[in-house]
Amino acid sequence: MIKTVGVYKTFHGSNGRGPLEVLKDVSLSMEQREVVCIIGPSGAGKSTYLRALNRLEKIDEGQIYIDNKLLFDCHNGHNRIKMTNDERSKALLEVGMVFQRFNLFPHKTALENVMLAPVNVRKLTVEEAQKRSEQILERVGLADKLNTFPAQLSGGQQQRVAIARALAMEPKIMLFDEPTSSLDPELVGEVLSVMKQLAKDGMTMLVVTHEMGFAKEAADRVVFMCDGVILETGTPEEMFSNPKNERTKQFLQKVL
């Protein structure tokens, strides 16, 4: 469903700071219905990698395949794949993304936030979009909050609306970028339980997370990333019980 080969990304610093290489030769593949969690210290390049998959960051080198299609084959920042913007955007619609910040429209209700993209991008009728959005909000436990505005919702509820909004586009793959990191601790569980249910339902998920319990319970594979490099990959049991890499061991000793 997702494959990257030799992905590199450098940020060119301002204020006299030199270039910062954030992704170095990152190669990773994931299958349909697989749940992969990326863990690692802050500044490891985890979020940048996720954003590169969704064209929110341009890569300098490497290849990105989504759903078996080669969308990006970059050399010196130039993509050698000839494809119209419409074709590429259509392929990227298969990828839903949930961010740290909920980014909901404050002047729209939960239902309106979820309906927006199916109507404007997928070109559903308002009736179709409303029916689908109501079903999805019920799925994430918010059937009683359809007409509530974001400011009246808790952080956990807002993040569940954001998950519903991504699901309403019927993506084949869901990317989660530290979806619980801006939540109060007591609200984390309600978001993770929705994600665990998605995993059980067979959604293909790539999750950047600091929640080691979620990675242990829901992931098929765990990837440890540090300084822009994937240092180790394994099952949750392998990674948490018997990590091979010294840097992985140090990280897990600190966070567990």
Side-chain angles (χ1 to χ4, degrees):
M1 292 299 280
I2 289 177
K3 183 167 109 174
T4 64
V5 182
V7 167
Y8 286 82
K9 170 70 181 175
T10 299
F11 287 123
H12 295 279
S14 53
N15 304 331
R17 284 195 299 244
L20 176 66
E21 203 173 20
V22 270
L23 298 175
K24 306 167 195 171
D25 196 18
V26 178
S27 297
L28 182 68
S29 296
M30 57 183 298
E31 303 297 327
Q32 194 169 2
R33 300 174 73 90
E34 194 175 19
V35 178
V36 175
C37 284
I38 304 180
I39 63 171
S42 294
K46 308 181 300 292
S47 293
T48 302
Y49 178 65
L50 230 58
R51 291 170 66 82
L53 294 175
N54 221 7
R55 203 171 57 166
L56 297 171
E57 295 285 0
K58 287 184 174 177
I59 61 171
D60 302 320
E61 302 284 339
Q63 297 174 323
I64 298 176
Y65 296 79
I66 303 282
D67 197 16
N68 255 351
K69 289 189 196 78
L70 179 57
L71 298 189
F72 302 97
D73 181 8
C74 294
H75 182 59
N76 286 334
H78 176 66
N79 186 14
R80 295 182 283 202
I81 300 298
K82 297 290 176 250
M83 193 183 272
T84 67
N85 269 341
D86 277 357
E87 287 173 314
R88 192 170 283 111
S89 295
K90 192 176 175 192
L92 287 169
L93 285 181
E94 304 298 355
V95 184
M97 187 149 178
V98 178
F99 299 87
Q100 295 176 28
R101 301 268 164 219
F102 326 122
N103 300 330
L104 300 176
F105 289 105
H107 59 290
K108 293 193 178 294
T109 64
L111 180 61
E112 288 167 340
N113 265 284
V114 176
M115 285 174 60
L116 209 56
V119 170
N120 291 314
V121 182
R122 289 281 193 203
K123 304 302 180 194
L124 266 62
T125 66
V126 171
E127 290 76 16
E128 288 170 327
Q130 181 169 341
K131 187 178 175 190
R132 181 191 291 178
S133 300
E134 285 174 353
Q135 288 169 341
I136 293 169
L137 282 163
E138 184 174 355
R139 189 175 165 191
V140 300
L142 293 173
D144 58 337
K145 301 290 183 187
L146 301 183
N147 299 312
T148 307
F149 289 93
Q152 300 162 307
L153 297 171
S154 71
Q157 289 169 334
Q158 288 185 57
Q159 189 60 295
R160 284 187 282 153
V161 173
I163 293 171
R165 178 181 56 188
L167 289 173
M169 292 294 284
E170 298 194 316
K172 292 182 181 173
I173 306 153
M174 286 281 279
L175 309 178
F176 291 86
D177 186 9
E178 296 186 21
T180 58
S181 65
S182 58
L183 297 178
D184 292 334
E186 70 269 22
L187 302 176
V188 167
E190 65 191 61
V191 172
L192 293 180
S193 68
V194 167
M195 292 169 64
K196 283 175 193 165
Q197 190 57 52
L198 284 179
K200 276 189 190 136
D201 294 344
M203 175 60 79
T204 307
M205 294 164 60
L206 183 57
V207 184
V208 168
T209 186
H210 291 298
E211 299 291 338
M212 299 301 140
F214 175 80
K216 273 184 186 173
E217 196 179 326
D220 298 300
R221 268 190 305 149
V222 179
V223 174
F224 177 70
M225 202 168 182
C226 186
D227 296 327
V229 179
I230 291 176
L231 291 181
E232 190 167 354
T233 304
T235 65
E237 193 177 10
E238 288 166 346
M239 290 290 277
F240 292 111
S241 304
N242 191 23
K244 305 275 186 293
N245 186 283
E246 198 52 46
R247 185 67 185 86
T248 314
K249 287 178 189 171
Q250 289 169 6
F251 174 77
L252 289 173
Q253 276 167 0
K254 280 184 185 164
V255 299
L256 291 177

